[in-house]
Amino acid sequence: GNSVTQMEGPVTLSEEAFLTINCTYTATGYPSLFWYVQYPGEGLQLLLKATKADDKGSNKGFEATYRKETTSFHLEKGSVQVSDSAVYFCALTQAGTALIFGKGTTLSVSS
Amino acid sequence: GAGVSQSPRYKVAKRGQDVALRCDPISGHVSLFWYQQALGQGPEFLTYFQNEAQLDKSGLPSDRFFAERPEGSVSTLKIQRTQQEDSAVYLCASSSQAFAHSGANVLTFGAGSRLTVL
């Protein structure tokens, strides 16, 4: 069945460092891919998405490119801030299946 | 309302008790989802409603879990005879889209109800 694998955390960075959180997926066909973020005490929020191969999703300085050849959707940001500290979830969906999440990666940014 | 509201935020139950968790979706949203998030894991799908119709309940782990949305707005997730393995955060999400599982279907999540079964 479909699945999402993302790098285990926690990821600890200093402010202004470069961030990469790896995400790979297994799916038949052509899923849509998402990154959700969960700030402390809040609900999951959609960060960005891509619905077809080679699409790049971007929001708040974060980017991820849908790579079909490597079945990946890695999350990147050039310069993280303390306010980016949160749990990040990679997810996929395709017609007829529910949204499937990875286990989440905790990011902690210090000043 | 402005967002998805869930109550209670925290619930402690003794093993064997019944619990009910409430979700108030965004007004007018036709789709409503329940997810279960165990500690250190990602959310896992439980069930989906389109208006008052429960179109997918394939993720409900046992017949002790029951969900309803009688008037197509507020939803309740009920767990009967709770067990320790039911301890988790239960997330509700809603969407303005009518399609259950689609790349265009952006979900708005509530903050969750954390259930602890002793």
Side-chain angles (χ1 to χ4, degrees):
Chain A
N2 295 349
S3 66
V4 173
T5 302
Q6 57 183 110
M7 63 186 287
E8 292 190 17
V11 174
T12 303
L13 295 173
S14 298
E15 208 166 22
E16 300 183 3
F18 184 85
L19 168 71
T20 300
I21 300 178
N22 291 338
C23 171
T24 57
Y25 68 89
T26 301
T28 55
Y30 303 95
S32 294
L33 302 173
F34 305 81
W35 277 100
Y36 277 82
V37 60
Q38 188 171 35
Y39 297 104
E42 298 183 16
L44 284 163
Q45 302 173 23
L46 177 67
L47 181 59
L48 53 84
K49 69 173 185 176
T51 57
K52 61 182 188 296
D54 299 326
D55 269 3
K56 177 185 283 188
S58 61
N59 186 27
K60 299 182 180 180
F62 291 89
E63 293 183 338
T65 301
Y66 188 160
R67 301 285 188 200
K68 188 173 184 300
E69 61 277 14
T70 54
T71 62
S72 65
F73 193 55
H74 304 322
L75 182 68
E76 296 182 337
K77 186 175 185 182
S79 176
V80 294
Q81 304 301 312
V82 172
S83 57
D84 294 326
S85 298
V87 183
Y88 292 81
F89 292 91
C90 186
L92 70 79
T93 189
Q94 61 184 127
T97 68
L99 194 61
I100 297 170
F101 289 88
K103 291 186 177 182
T105 302
T106 299
L107 171 65
S108 178
V109 181
S110 58
S111 58
Chain B
V4 178
S5 179
Q6 293 188 244
S7 61
R9 288 293 310 277
Y10 303 93
K11 175 69 178 178
V12 178
K14 292 183 179 178
R15 189 164 59 93
Q17 283 185 330
D18 298 348
V19 300
L21 308 176
R22 176 186 170 105
C23 173
D24 280 274
I26 292 174
S27 179
H29 275 195
V30 299
S31 292
L32 186 145
F33 304 79
W34 284 99
Y35 279 80
Q36 180 190 57
Q37 186 177 13
L39 187 65
Q41 303 295 314
E44 294 192 357
F45 170 76
L46 294 177
T47 187
Y48 164 69
F49 290 86
Q50 182 175 311
N51 295 310
E52 69 279 5
Q54 189 174 19
L55 299 186
D56 188 345
K57 52 182 181 179
S58 61
L60 295 176
S62 77
D63 59 8
R64 297 186 296 103
F65 286 72
F66 172 77
E68 59 184 5
R69 195 186 185 197
E71 297 179 359
S73 58
V74 171
S75 177
T76 303
L77 176 67
K78 298 179 179 179
I79 308 173
Q80 297 176 323
R81 304 181 305 281
T82 53
Q83 304 294 315
Q84 285 188 324
E85 61 263 27
D86 300 335
S87 296
V89 176
Y90 290 86
L91 300 173
C92 177
S94 69
S95 169
S96 61
Q97 301 281 339
F99 301 108
H101 309 306
S102 161
N105 204 352
V106 177
L107 306 187
T108 301
F109 282 83
S113 292
R114 181 180 296 277
L115 172 65
T116 302
V117 182
L118 303 177

